[in-house]
Amino acid sequence: TPGLGQKSVLTMPKNQSSMRRITLSPQTLAAFKTLRKERNEQALTGEAPSVVDRRGRVCEPVFVNEVGRTVTVGTLRALLNRTGKTAGIGNVNPHRLRHSYASRLIARGIDVATVSRALGHSSVAVTMQVYSHGFESQVVHADALLAELSEATS
């Protein structure tokens, strides 16, 4: 049960490309395995938190507060904001984290198709429209490499 006056609603992603597998670091995987073990132990005593989705299915939330209630989007946003301010990077929200993730992939030279798939965009065109500024430095770099190649073959 979420906080007073708030309701948790589980929904499906916007489109099929938004449903994707993600890679977890070994540390994250270990944390989820620990959580799974704790939840299994809680289930034996009837203490495991749960939430009902729109189809009436009982699901186990990943994030719960200290009393076992589902963490709401508002609570998560407030926590991210506080953490960002403490770290000296200002307001942080899920969208900013997503944008930073995409921008870092682009800065590291990851191709647009891979970035698009990682973000669950419906097409590469959507990724290019949103993140075209990030690919500009790659174009400059490609132009420089082409110029070097031209000089080397002249």
Side-chain angles (χ1 to χ4, degrees):
T1 307
L4 186 63
Q6 297 178 328
K7 186 165 109 178
S8 290
V9 179
L10 301 178
T11 61
M12 294 299 289
K14 290 186 283 187
N15 55 54
Q16 191 62 32
S17 63
S18 293
M19 293 184 65
R20 59 205 178 272
R21 291 183 184 271
I22 59 170
T23 303
L24 300 176
S25 70
Q27 297 87 347
T28 303
L29 192 55
F32 277 119
K33 285 180 179 179
T34 299
L35 178 63
R36 167 59 54 206
K37 183 179 177 190
E38 290 173 5
R39 294 288 169 81
N40 286 342
E41 291 169 0
Q42 290 171 339
L44 293 174
T45 61
E47 297 174 8
S50 64
V51 64
V52 178
D53 71 9
R54 287 184 175 176
R55 293 186 180 151
R57 296 175 298 195
V58 176
C59 306
E60 295 177 35
V62 174
F63 302 106
V64 294
N65 64 19
E66 58 278 350
V67 293
R69 291 188 173 163
T70 305
V71 174
T72 63
V73 173
T75 302
L76 184 58
R77 285 180 187 275
L79 175 63
L80 286 171
N81 259 331
R82 275 195 313 273
T83 303
K85 287 177 182 173
T86 300
I89 57 174
N91 291 334
V92 176
N93 57 52
H95 180 74
R96 185 169 177 198
L97 291 175
R98 175 183 167 86
H99 188 77
S100 294
Y101 169 70
S103 296
R104 290 182 63 118
L105 290 177
I106 293 164
R108 291 191 169 259
I110 304 299
D111 65 277
V112 67
T114 301
V115 174
S116 183
R117 277 195 308 276
L119 295 173
H121 285 163
S122 57
S123 71
V124 172
V126 171
T127 309
M128 285 302 298
Q129 183 178 1
V130 176
Y131 296 100
S132 60
H133 63 279
F135 289 101
E136 289 172 12
S137 63
Q138 289 182 331
V139 170
V140 170
H141 181 66
D143 288 344
L145 289 176
L146 186 60
E148 285 177 25
L149 183 61
S150 293
E151 289 173 13
T153 58
S154 296

